[in-house]
Every structure is written in structure tokens, then in C-alpha cells.
Amino acid sequence: MSFNGYRDVIKEGDSVILYLTITQIYSIKAQSKIINKKGILVDNVFQTNYGALKCVDLIGKYFGTKVMLSKGWGYVLQPTPELWTITLPHRTQIIYTPDISMIVLQLELTPDSIVIESGTGSGSLSHALIRAVKPHGHLYTFDFHEDRVKTATEEFSNHGFSEYVTVQHRDVCENGFGGHLDGKADAVFLDLPHPWFAISHALKSIKTSGGRLCSFSPCIEQVQKSCLVLLKLGFQEIQTMEVLQTQFSVQQRSIPIINLDFVKTEKKGTEEGKKERETSKVVASVPPLNLPGHTGYLTFATLPPVWARGLQRTLNEDDMSLEECDTFCN
């Protein structure tokens, strides 16, 4: 329950983050007993490269406390969506914090927003969306894989998010998001192999006052097909971006000082001797030698209020027809 709000003391059953090094961060549960693979109730002991940790010893300690292991020590931290993204069990490829931060910003989420997400996957983005819309908003998340839906439902319940999220098993490309969500959503997020098939369903789900849509795609061909459908259905402000995180190194560099005295004086016939070249030391930001590779494309679009949508279609009469879009996309 420690995901839902901050508190000081770790309680029985809380999820905590065990920080050992920058590359060794784990999510564990503060409970005294667990059932092993043989179905026997045993002590809950977590093994690390720095020795064993008895999880029962975490109960009653403060978050941020330094804990001793049999061969070293670590810190127990309050779980956050960012730390959960690093430590969660992967059921699918996940979206990481740089993209998540841009998604939450561009969807313009507030603590009372209604958001639709498809698909749920490993729940990396879902936790950040829930934090952004609670306590008065709600997340409706869909996945076509039934086992992933069951696992995600259990995780949200264990993390204390049950009242802020509804998980459903559904093929949204074929069946949409359900009639109960027509005209209810402030924002829609699509992480699908064929997002253009779900855009028309998103159009029905967004509020009559308008809203935002985001589609995450790894291939530019997916982006092209999605943008064609977005244009035809009256979406505006369509833009695609890629978030690449680059780390610059701050170093002290020596820069030579150019001596322009020779411009002011006549050149002598014989050089008396070369003077040592003067330099100036400055602090510089040095880019990396290797730039990060491709992550994924984020396509954002705005659906205007219902009274402005007819005007937008009139202005786009010369655009590709919906039948031509379907032919191109297929």
C-alpha cells in the first residue's frame, strides 16, 4: 500500500525499494513469511550480491533507513512510479521515464482527468498516469492478453490503486473501449501495433469539450498511417517527437588566446623568437562521443470541441478520403 501516498514507517505488506548501487535496485515486499515453490510457508529472505536481507526486519523502520545485509548494506526507499519503472517485472517492453514525463505533460493531465490507456503491458506508464490523475480522476486501461490483465489487476490492488484504475481484457482495435466510455475521456494513450485502427474509437471516447491523444510507435511507418487517420478524423496540432536523453560531461578545457598584435605593428625582418602561446582555462560542457539510439516516436494530437469539428472537416475537404486512408493503412 506504500505507493498510494507518502508515509514515514514501513508496515507489513508494504512494497519497498532496496537500493544497493546505481545498477542494483530491487522491489521487495516487507512481509515476514512467504509461500515457496513447494507450497511451504517459510521466512521471507531476499538474496543479493551483498548478502541476505530478512524482510521482517524492515517492518517498523523509516523509509530512507540504512539497512545492514550479511555482506554489506543498502537503503530502503519509498516506491515511486520512476523507481517502479526500473524494478518492475517485465511482461512486455516498457516505456521509460523520459518518454513518460513527456506523455504526462503533453496529455495535460490534472488530478481530475479521465484517461484511457491501451495496452496495459507491464504497467510502467499506468503507475505514472494514476499518480497524475488521483485523487479525483480515473484510469481505464485495456490489454488483449488475459494473463497480463490479471497480473496488472493484482499489482494495482497491492499498491493501493484499485479505486483509481479499471483494468479490462479487450481488443480495442476490433471492439473499441465500450459504450460506457463514450464522451468520457480527457485523454487517450495508444501503445498498439496498429494504432490507426483504434483512433476512430478514441474519437468516440473523448469528451465533447475536446481532449488530447498520444500514440507511441517504434516505426515511422506506423506514425505515417496514424497521422493520415488523425487528419481525416479532424484532429489538430498533430506533432511527432522522439525523446532522447543525452548526458553532457562538465570539464575544464584550455582554449588558446589569439594574439592580434601583429595587425597593429609592422612585420620585422627577423623573428626574435617565438613566444609561448597563451591559453585560458574555462569550464565547458562536452557532448558524449556516442549518442543514444532510437527509442520510439510519440505522436500527439488535439481533438477540438464538438462545435469546431465540422468547421475543421470543411477546411480539409481536399484531404485524402477515409477510404483512401484505409487502403493506404492496409
Side-chain angles (χ1 to χ4, degrees):
M1 297 286 288
S2 47
F3 274 82
N4 187 14
Y6 292 95
R7 62 165 178 261
D8 296 330
V9 180
I10 301 172
K11 297 182 180 179
E12 173 81 27
D14 278 353
S15 295
V16 301
I17 303 298
L18 176 63
Y19 181 94
L20 301 178
T21 67
I22 194 170
T23 59
Q24 298 183 64
I25 308 174
Y26 307 97
S27 175
I28 59 178
K29 212 164 190 179
Q31 57 186 41
S32 55
K33 302 286 185 179
I34 59 171
I35 299 176
N36 63 12
K37 296 179 180 179
K38 297 181 180 179
I40 302 174
L41 192 66
V42 297
D43 291 336
N44 186 12
V45 179
F46 186 77
Q47 300 290 342
T48 73
N49 292 338
Y50 296 92
L53 172 67
K54 292 183 179 180
C55 296
V56 67
D57 295 338
L58 299 177
I59 301 172
K61 288 189 175 352
Y62 286 91
F63 283 108
T65 299
K66 183 178 180 180
V67 293
M68 301 305 300
L69 288 74
S70 56
K71 298 180 182 179
W73 49 268
Y75 292 95
V76 285
L77 306 178
Q78 172 83 36
T80 64
E82 291 77 18
L83 292 174
W84 179 246
T85 294
I86 300 173
T87 60
L88 61 79
H90 285 224
R91 300 181 287 273
T92 60
Q93 292 290 330
I94 68 170
I95 299 177
Y96 289 91
T97 299
D99 286 319
I100 290 175
S101 60
M102 183 60 68
I103 292 168
V104 173
L105 171 68
Q106 290 288 339
L107 290 182
E108 301 174 1
L109 302 182
T110 59
D112 60 349
S113 296
I114 304 298
V115 184
I116 294 175
E117 176 195 22
S118 184
T120 308
S122 300
S124 173
L125 175 63
S126 304
H127 281 73
L129 294 177
I130 294 171
R131 181 180 63 180
V133 303
K134 72 183 187 73
H136 305 299
H138 200 86
L139 172 66
Y140 294 90
T141 181
F142 299 84
D143 203 293
F144 71 93
H145 196 285
E146 190 171 2
D147 289 339
R148 287 203 292 262
V149 169
K150 292 180 180 177
T151 305
T153 303
E154 292 176 2
E155 281 182 353
F156 293 138
S157 178
N158 292 335
H159 296 167
F161 285 154
S162 295
E163 61 179 305
Y164 309 116
V165 60
T166 301
V167 190
Q168 296 184 43
H169 172 228
R170 193 181 186 93
D171 183 354
V172 299
C173 291
E174 186 70 24
N175 304 315
F177 302 109
H180 64 290
L181 289 178
D182 287 353
K184 297 291 182 64
D186 295 287
V188 176
F189 174 80
L190 303 175
D191 184 6
L192 303 169
H194 305 92
W196 53 89
F197 290 135
I199 293 174
S200 59
H201 301 301
L203 179 68
K204 297 178 183 177
S205 298
I206 295 177
K207 292 179 178 179
T208 56
S209 58
R212 294 278 285 168
L213 179 142
C214 174
S215 176
F216 178 88
S217 299
C219 302
I220 195 64
E221 291 81 7
Q222 295 170 306
V223 174
Q224 291 173 323
K225 295 177 181 180
S226 299
C227 288
L228 283 172
V229 177
L230 287 169
L231 281 169
K232 189 58 192 178
L233 293 179
F235 283 83
Q236 301 178 14
E237 299 176 346
I238 301 172
Q239 58 177 336
T240 297
M241 63 183 69
E242 183 178 14
V243 181
L244 295 176
Q245 194 170 9
T246 304
Q247 183 174 349
F248 285 76
S249 176
V250 179
Q251 302 176 5
Q252 191 176 58
R253 292 294 182 92
S254 296
I255 299 177
I257 299 175
I258 300 176
N259 188 356
L260 299 178
D261 290 342
F262 70 91
V263 179
K264 302 177 183 178
T265 59
E266 295 182 3
K267 186 177 180 181
K268 295 180 180 180
T270 58
E271 189 175 358
E272 296 179 355
K274 294 183 179 180
K275 295 182 179 180
E276 186 177 350
R277 200 170 189 181
E278 297 183 5
T279 60
S280 174
K281 291 185 177 181
V282 297
V283 177
S285 181
V286 182
L289 296 176
N290 299 319
L291 293 176
H294 171 64
T295 56
Y297 298 108
L298 293 171
T299 299
F300 297 97
T302 299
L303 184 66
V306 66
W307 58 265
R309 297 175 196 175
L311 175 62
Q312 178 67 15
R313 287 197 180 94
T314 302
L315 295 175
N316 292 339
E317 285 179 353
D318 295 332
D319 290 348
M320 183 183 293
S321 67
L322 189 57
E323 291 76 14
E324 291 172 326
C325 286
D326 292 336
T327 302
F328 179 83
C329 292
N330 291 326

